[in-house]
């Protein structure tokens, strides 16, 4: 968020708070007006003094002081406006969310709060269900219905869907599109192709031989193209019609000649984490899917454009302009300052068919989708003349975090081994839970010692069967609230591998969490810190430690930080991986397998790793067995 955006956000929130507190309405209006002014400023407010601020239409003396207060405190690292903070303390935080529901004004929300003690969406829903909302003045059945649908709408629109739900859904729809006559190619674009952990909507591109190559409304009005009748070119392409009538489509939001937006059903998982049980989704959950039909000659340009990110696109367009070219979703063209887009004037593109040829024409190496996020990276890639070789699914040769039926897993040790063999792994670690994880049937020291013996015998048996796989005896030992481990060192020293993870006390304050995790990282017998923060996407925030300190310690002690590949976790997150990679710390990518299908989550861990620019040499799962074993043995000496 830029400073202007931050100021605007505070001012606009102040306006809402003023209304909720029943203060002077003109004061509230003045704040929201000032917010809009600041938001649309070209210069940063940081560079403005008081006379300059007051000179702006819509900013008065008092508000100017508040902006200056914000800027001054921001430069000291704690941006705030005292009056804003004071008001925030007087209003329940959930009330501001209620105010965002379409169709609800501050007067009504204030009355809900004062008279019915409604303070958030949950209590609002209760008041709707119990009928008590009707007791408010001027609140009829119709108004309640409106609030109800506003609530549902807000929930649908603001919810970003976990990649583990969005990707299988996109792949299913892509397959259905591939089966339609005339479809040559279907690609997933957008945030899904970039491998983000959550997705707002799915973007799909369909290549057909007969897709119009120019904007249809321009085409139908252009005299030179009079051969195409107007009515025909305004009609949705047959593929668009077929898409809109796929069985999972619930609602067609918009439909044009070459594109459509629909809401389609999300298939929930049946596994351990259902990714949305009935508590989260009152009805059949859906998400938005956008489909565009593209001709083959500009498919690369369209794929590049609709993959984004927006920031990446903007940066590429600026590069194009700097070399007197113009880049859009139809291709890279010579820039001639004409108003009509080049593709509508029959101008041939310099590059358009593949992404690779466009990057090349822009003087850049091919940038993989996961790295199309931060414009600042582009110059670095150009300088280096290449992008680092990112870790890939095929590089992963072992899983170092897996559970069996001895704790809360559903696989026997043999099944675990079969899954590992199927994926061509050279090693699989058995890391069942430790005794404190009682709900997960954590192992007592005695049971763990028995398990170690079983594993030693299993390795012998596998060898005699001629199977080239090593089973490591390990533990996912709890990191207790104070950072000590759930088993004593003597027992841990008997193991081949120790994964230490936090499972309880996940709402500790950051300082305590940092101390706790640092203690585990520096423990001489710990190899990997499993899901370091314990967050669950869309569900639990988890710990908030000082990640830079953890990374420094992890590097020093050669302790790997885990990317837990389960799509509900993806912990470490991409930004943390990036920092760890930069610092030279080791990273593990593990599936935390509890059932066979969990092995398939590896691709989500890989996306996160690639977004963090992880290379195979820093990923312990990509090492040959000898190197891995040498690292494991080096601990505790
Ligand atoms: P999401 O859907 O929020 O998870 O993230 P994206 O990146 O998929 O965003 P979306 O669906 O709004 O747009 C898909 C891509 O299309 C986006 O990454 C870049 C491109 N795009 C969309 N709108 C614009 C725009 O206004 N300007 C530029 N330069 N690119 C855009
Ligand atoms: Ca999208
Ligand atoms: Zn685990």
């Amino acid at each position: 968020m830029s400073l202007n955006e931050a100021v605007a956000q505070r001012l606009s929130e102040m306006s809402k708070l003023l209304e909720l507190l029943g203060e002077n309405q003109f004061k509230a209006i003045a704040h929201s007006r000032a917010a809009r002014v600041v938001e649309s400023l070209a210069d940063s407010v940081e560079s403005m003094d008081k006379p300059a601020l007051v000179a702006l239409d819509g900013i008065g003396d008092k508000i100017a002081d508040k902006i200056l207060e914000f800027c001054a405190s921001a430069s000291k690292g704690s941006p705030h406006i005292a009056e804003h903070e004071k008001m925030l303390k007087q209003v329940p935080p959930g009330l501001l969310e209620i105010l965002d529901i379409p169709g609800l004004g501050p007067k009504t929300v204030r009355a809900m709060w004062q008279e019915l003690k409604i303070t958030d969406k949950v209590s609002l829903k209760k008041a709707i269900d119990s009928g008590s909302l009707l007791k408010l003045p001027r609140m009829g059945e119709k108004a309640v219905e409106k609030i109800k649908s506003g609530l549902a709408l807000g929930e649908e629109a603001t919810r970003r869907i976990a990649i583990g739900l969005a990707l299988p859904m996109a792949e299913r729809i892509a397959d259905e599109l591939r089966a339609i006559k005339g479809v040559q190619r279907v690609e997933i674009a957008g945030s899904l192709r970039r491998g983000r952990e959550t997705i707002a909507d799915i973007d799909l591109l369909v290549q057909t031989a007969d897709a119009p190559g120019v904007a249809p409304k321009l085409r139908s009005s252009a005299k030179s193209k009079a051969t195409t009748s107007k009515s025909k070119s305004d009609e949705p392409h047959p593929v668009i019609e077929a898409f809109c009538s796929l069985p999972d489509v619930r609602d067609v939001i918009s439909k044009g000649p070459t594109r459509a937006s629909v809401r389609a059903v999300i298939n929930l998982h049946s596994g351990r984490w259902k990714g949305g049980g009935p508590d989260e989704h009152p009805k059949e959950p859906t998400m938005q899917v956008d489909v565009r039909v593209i001709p083959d000659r500009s498919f690369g340009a369209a794929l590049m454009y609709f993959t984004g990110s927006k920031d990446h696109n903007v940066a590429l367009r600026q590069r194009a302009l700097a070399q007197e070219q113009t880049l859009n979703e139809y291709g890279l063209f010579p820039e001639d300052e004409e108003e009509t887009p080049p593709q509508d004037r029959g101008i041939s593109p310099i590059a358009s068919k593949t992404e690779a040829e466009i990057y090349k024409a822009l003087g850049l190496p091919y940038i993989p989708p996961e790295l199309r996020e931060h414009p600042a990276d582009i110059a670095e890639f150009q300088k280096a003349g290449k992008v680092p070789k990112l870790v890939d699914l095929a590089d992963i040769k072992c899983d170092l975090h897996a559970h069996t039926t001895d704790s809360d897993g559903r696989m026997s040790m043999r099944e675990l081994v079969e899954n590992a063999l199927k994926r061509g792994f050279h090693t699989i670690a058995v890391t069942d839970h430790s005794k404190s994880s009682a709900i997960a049937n954590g192992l007592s020291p005695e049971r763990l010692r028995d398990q170690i013996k079983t594993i030693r015998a299993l390795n012998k048996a596998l060898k005699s069967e001629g199977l080239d796989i090593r089973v490591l005896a390990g533990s996912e030992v709890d990191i207790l609230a104070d950072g000590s481990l759930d088993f004593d060192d003597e027992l841990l020293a008997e193991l081949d591998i120790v994964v230490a993870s936090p499972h309880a006390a996940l709402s500790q304050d950051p300082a305590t969490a940092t101390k706790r995790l640092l203690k585990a990282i520096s423990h001489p017998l710990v190899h990997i810190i499993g899901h370091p923060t314990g967050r669950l996407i869309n569900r639990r925030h988890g710990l908030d430690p000082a990640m830079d300190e953890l990374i420094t310690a992890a590097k020093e002690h050669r302790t790997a930080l885990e990317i837990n590949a389960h799509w509900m976790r993806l912990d470490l997150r991409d930004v943390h991986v990036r920092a760890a990679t930069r610092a030279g710390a080791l990273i593990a990518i593990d599936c935390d397998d509890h059932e066979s299908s969990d092995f398939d989550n590896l691709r989500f861990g890989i996306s996160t790793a690639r977004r963090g620019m992880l290379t195979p040499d820093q990923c312990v799962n990509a090492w040959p067995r000898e190197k891995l074993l040498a690292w494991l043995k080096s601990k505790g000496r």
Side-chain angles (χ1 to χ4, degrees):
M1 205 190 293
S2 71
L3 192 69
N4 286 10
E5 281 166 347
V7 170
Q9 188 257 334
R10 294 299 198 292
L11 291 174
S12 129
E13 198 165 287
M14 284 180 83
S15 160
K16 290 178 188 169
L17 290 165
L18 285 163
E19 300 218 57
L20 288 174
L21 290 166
E23 304 245 349
N24 181 323
Q25 213 187 345
F26 294 106
K27 197 174 163 189
I29 292 170
H31 278 77
S32 83
R33 180 154 181 237
R36 284 198 302 276
V37 171
V38 172
E39 204 170 19
S40 59
L41 276 182
D43 302 324
S44 173
V45 281
E46 208 176 2
S47 63
M48 301 174 83
D49 56 9
K50 188 156 176 188
L53 284 170
V54 178
L56 293 170
D57 198 16
I59 293 189
D61 196 67
K62 282 191 188 137
I63 292 185
D65 282 339
K66 285 168 204 166
I67 297 174
L68 292 170
E69 182 195 350
F70 186 87
C71 294
S73 55
S75 70
K76 290 188 203 116
S78 67
H80 68 275
I81 298 171
E83 192 187 339
H84 171 247
E85 309 234 303
K86 197 174 137 208
M87 286 194 291
L88 265 186
K89 286 200 187 106
Q90 298 167 40
V91 174
L95 220 52
L96 284 165
E97 287 174 30
I98 294 185
L99 202 51
D100 285 337
I101 297 169
L104 268 182
K107 270 210 186 93
T108 316
V109 176
R110 182 175 159 78
M112 288 177 174
W113 174 33
Q114 298 291 317
E115 288 169 40
L116 298 176
K117 304 279 171 274
I118 291 172
T119 53
D120 53 21
K121 284 185 183 171
V122 176
S123 46
L124 172 58
K125 271 184 213 160
K126 272 193 197 141
I128 292 174
D129 292 342
S130 71
S132 66
L133 194 62
L134 286 166
K135 287 184 206 142
L136 282 187
R138 290 183 307 277
M139 184 63 70
E141 302 273 0
K142 252 196 179 153
V144 172
E145 259 332 292
K146 214 172 146 195
I147 294 170
K148 232 168 131 174
S149 72
L151 255 173
L153 199 79
E155 274 170 14
E156 285 279 75
T158 56
R159 204 176 68 231
R160 293 185 66 86
I161 306 294
I163 189 171
L165 295 175
L167 187 56
M169 171 179 173
E171 286 169 336
R172 193 188 66 232
I173 296 177
D175 277 341
E176 288 166 353
L177 290 169
R178 284 185 188 105
I180 297 171
K181 196 170 148 253
V183 170
Q184 297 171 333
R185 178 182 178 189
V186 180
E187 293 290 340
I188 295 170
S191 51
L192 204 45
R193 183 162 179 245
R194 303 198 309 279
R196 280 192 62 176
E197 63 192 35
T198 60
I199 310 297
D201 61 27
I202 295 171
D203 303 282
L204 296 173
L205 302 183
V206 178
Q207 179 184 307
T208 66
D210 61 347
V214 297
K217 59 177 187 301
L218 289 165
R219 194 168 84 146
S220 56
S221 61
K223 288 197 182 77
S224 58
K225 306 263 178 168
T227 44
T228 320
S229 80
K230 183 169 179 167
S231 64
K232 180 104 197 276
S233 68
D234 280 346
E235 272 167 24
H237 189 279
V239 170
I240 293 297
E241 292 288 10
F243 165 61
C244 288
S245 41
L246 287 178
D248 286 343
V249 170
R250 287 291 170 274
D251 197 11
V252 176
I253 302 163
S254 68
K255 179 161 77 170
T258 61
R259 58 157 294 172
S261 277
V262 307
R263 294 201 71 89
V265 179
I266 303 171
N267 286 61
L268 298 179
H269 281 245
S270 54
R272 190 165 40 116
W273 275 309
K274 294 190 169 47
D279 50 328
E280 269 173 88
H281 302 293
K283 56 178 172 27
E284 191 180 47
T286 60
M287 89 180 275
Q288 186 174 328
V289 185
D290 292 356
V291 163
R292 292 176 175 82
V293 178
I294 316 277
D296 67 338
R297 64 183 173 283
S298 59
F299 198 83
L303 187 55
M304 190 172 196
Y305 181 88
F306 292 109
T307 295
S309 67
K310 262 177 208 156
D311 288 349
H312 184 77
N313 288 354
V314 169
L316 290 187
R317 273 207 302 275
Q318 281 165 352
R319 289 190 68 87
L321 283 176
Q323 52 186 41
E324 294 185 4
Q325 292 165 349
T326 178
L327 178 66
N328 62 29
E329 66 264 50
Y330 297 97
L332 180 69
F333 297 89
E335 169 65 39
D336 53 14
E337 293 180 4
E338 289 278 331
E339 214 174 289
T340 311
Q343 68 274 10
D344 294 335
R345 289 181 279 125
I347 310 254
S348 297
I350 299 158
S352 65
K353 249 188 136 155
T354 67
E355 288 184 322
E357 78 187 36
I358 300 170
Y359 277 112
K360 194 163 169 217
L362 289 170
L364 293 171
Y366 176 79
I367 301 176
E370 296 90 343
L371 294 184
R372 300 184 195 170
E373 219 58 68
H374 313 288
D377 291 341
I378 299 174
E380 268 183 48
F381 298 148
Q382 184 185 26
K383 225 168 87 192
K386 60 176 198 290
V387 174
K389 194 219 163 283
L390 304 181
V391 69
D392 214 334
L393 210 52
D395 294 321
I396 302 299
K397 294 292 172 216
C398 61
D399 200 331
L400 303 174
H401 182 172
H403 299 266
T404 71
T405 46
D406 284 349
S407 64
D408 62 348
R410 292 196 195 156
M411 287 174 286
S412 66
M413 233 174 258
R414 272 282 176 175
E415 284 174 279
L416 203 60
V417 169
E418 278 161 26
N419 275 297
L421 281 169
K422 221 176 1 187
R423 283 155 178 91
F425 291 170
H426 59 57
T427 301
I428 177 86
V430 175
T431 58
D432 275 312
H433 290 284
S434 62
K435 62 178 193 294
S436 287
S437 285
I439 343 163
N441 190 22
L443 273 59
S444 64
E446 295 71 38
R447 287 178 63 212
L448 181 54
R449 287 202 164 91
D450 282 346
Q451 198 189 49
I452 297 173
K453 279 184 213 146
T454 309
I455 292 171
R456 303 282 178 246
L458 176 62
N459 274 308
K460 278 194 191 131
L462 292 169
K463 204 170 171 186
S464 69
E465 289 167 42
L467 295 171
D468 186 23
I469 184 144
R470 190 74 58 88
V471 186
L472 301 179
S475 171
E476 182 184 14
V477 63
D478 257 38
I479 305 174
L480 305 176
D482 65 352
S484 60
L485 301 181
D486 197 22
F487 286 135
D488 59 31
D489 291 0
E490 199 194 336
L491 177 53
L492 294 178
E494 292 173 37
L495 297 165
D496 303 321
I497 183 165
V498 175
V499 177
S501 317
H503 286 108
L506 295 176
S507 37
Q508 275 175 332
D509 66 275
T512 313
T514 306
K515 243 177 91 187
R516 174 191 192 181
L517 291 166
L518 281 176
K519 195 165 165 189
I521 290 170
S522 59
H523 190 293
L525 295 166
V526 168
H527 297 101
I528 297 174
I529 303 296
H531 47 74
T533 76
R535 71 99 173 238
L536 294 180
I537 288 173
N538 285 346
R539 281 206 199 172
R540 181 170 74 203
H541 185 72
L543 300 171
D544 197 9
M547 208 46 87
D548 51 339
E549 289 181 45
L550 302 195
I551 289 167
T552 307
K555 164 141 169 66
E556 185 191 336
H557 296 279
R558 288 182 55 79
T559 304
L561 300 173
E562 177 189 80
I563 298 174
N564 191 295
H566 198 291
W567 52 270
M568 279 294 289
R569 290 199 184 270
L570 295 177
D571 171 19
L572 300 183
R573 342 173 39 145
D574 51 9
V575 286
H576 302 150
V577 179
R578 179 89 186 248
T581 317
R582 278 229 170 96
L586 295 175
I587 296 285
I589 310 174
D590 291 317
C591 290
D592 194 353
D593 311 284
H594 283 73
E595 53 197 312
S596 292
S597 63
D598 286 347
F599 279 87
D600 298 331
N601 287 327
L602 186 55
R603 58 178 176 161
F604 305 120
I606 292 289
S607 294
T608 299
R610 290 169 67 85
R611 292 174 61 79
M613 239 195 257
L614 182 65
T615 52
D617 53 316
Q618 266 175 273
C619 176
V620 296
N621 308 71
W623 292 353
R625 186 191 285 150
E626 290 63 39
K627 187 174 175 184
L628 174 72
L629 294 180
W631 168 63
L632 292 175
K633 288 208 180 91
S634 72
K635 283 274 184 164
R637 290 218 179 118

